[in-house]
Structures are given as structure tokens and as C-alpha cells.
Amino acid sequence: MPRGDKGKYTDKQKRKAEHIEESYEHKGVSKDEAEARAWATVNKQSGGGEKKGGSGKTTSASEKKTARSDSAKRAAKTRQGHSRTSGSSLESQSKESLMKEARSKDIKGRSSMTKAALVEALRKHG
């Protein structure tokens, strides 16, 4: 596409540029400057003319927002760690995780404990 060729722009983009250009001319900006500013604005807002390629899949803003929200909820759930409701939840944790919990409960001798000992101490400590 040679420089200055507007053939790849949609009709909507062309109308928008024309409207912006008229607005600048009304404010006293020269014709050439108004045109340059108008197309710069259209390019900034829409990324330029029609592009080749892509997946062809269009995702609406609301779908993107929902996907982001779902992703954030999954991430928050992951950060919460294991639930303490089941008796086997302590066994399913890593030793490092058990060590952190023991440290937060100030269990003495935790550094030399095995994983099984940490589980037992945490159960007793409540």
C-alpha cells in the first residue's frame, strides 16, 4: 500500500477521518494539517486500515472482560492454597508449604521435622 493510499480503510474509518478533518478546518487549521491530524487520529484509534491475516475470530469486549474475570478468579483460588476442611489436606501439601504453616503457628523444632512429623504437629496445634 503506497503511502497516502486510503484504499485499505473501511468506509466507517473514512467517514470518521472526514468528520475529524472538517472539525479541524472549522477551528482554523490548514487543509493539509487537518487531513494529517484526522488520519493520525483514525490510525491511533483503530490501528490503521484493514489488516490481512489473523485468526478470523472476533472477541467482543464483554467476552474479553468475562475471560479476564474468570482468569483472575482462578488465580485467586490458586493463591488461597488448600482447604483445611478435609483431614487429608495436610498430606497433599508440599513440605515447604507445611513448613510455612508451622512457622506461622510458631511450632518449635519444625526445621528438623519430616513431612509426616510436620503434618502431625500441625494437627495437634489445631
Side-chain angles (χ1 to χ4, degrees):
M1 182 166 87
R3 209 167 157 187
D5 179 20
K6 307 298 185 225
K8 294 282 185 178
Y9 288 87
T10 64
D11 289 340
K12 182 178 179 181
Q13 289 171 316
K14 290 175 185 174
R15 285 192 308 274
K16 184 181 264 189
E18 188 177 335
H19 178 74
I20 294 168
E21 185 178 341
E22 288 171 4
S23 176
Y24 275 123
E25 287 176 12
H26 184 72
K27 292 178 185 177
V29 176
S30 73
K31 172 111 177 100
D32 288 344
E33 179 65 19
E35 183 181 6
R37 287 185 187 183
W39 284 107
T41 303
V42 169
N43 286 335
K44 184 171 179 83
Q45 290 176 348
S46 64
E50 296 172 347
K51 304 282 192 282
K52 292 182 181 177
S55 66
K57 179 183 176 202
T58 54
T59 309
S60 70
S62 63
E63 288 172 327
K64 287 180 184 177
K65 187 176 182 182
T66 302
R68 267 195 307 275
S69 175
D70 290 346
S71 176
K73 287 175 185 172
R74 284 194 305 275
K77 193 172 183 179
T78 301
R79 284 192 299 270
Q80 286 175 355
H82 299 277
S83 109
R84 302 286 179 254
T85 55
S86 72
S88 64
S89 70
L90 290 172
E91 283 92 352
S92 66
Q93 291 185 52
S94 67
K95 183 175 179 183
E96 183 181 346
S97 175
L98 293 167
M99 194 64 84
K100 284 181 184 175
E101 196 169 333
R103 187 177 309 119
S104 71
K105 293 184 178 183
D106 200 31
I107 295 174
K108 303 292 180 209
R110 64 185 176 267
S111 62
S112 60
M113 289 183 184
T114 63
K115 182 176 176 178
L118 282 167
V119 169
E120 192 62 36
L122 286 167
R123 284 217 174 99
K124 286 179 182 173
H125 204 72

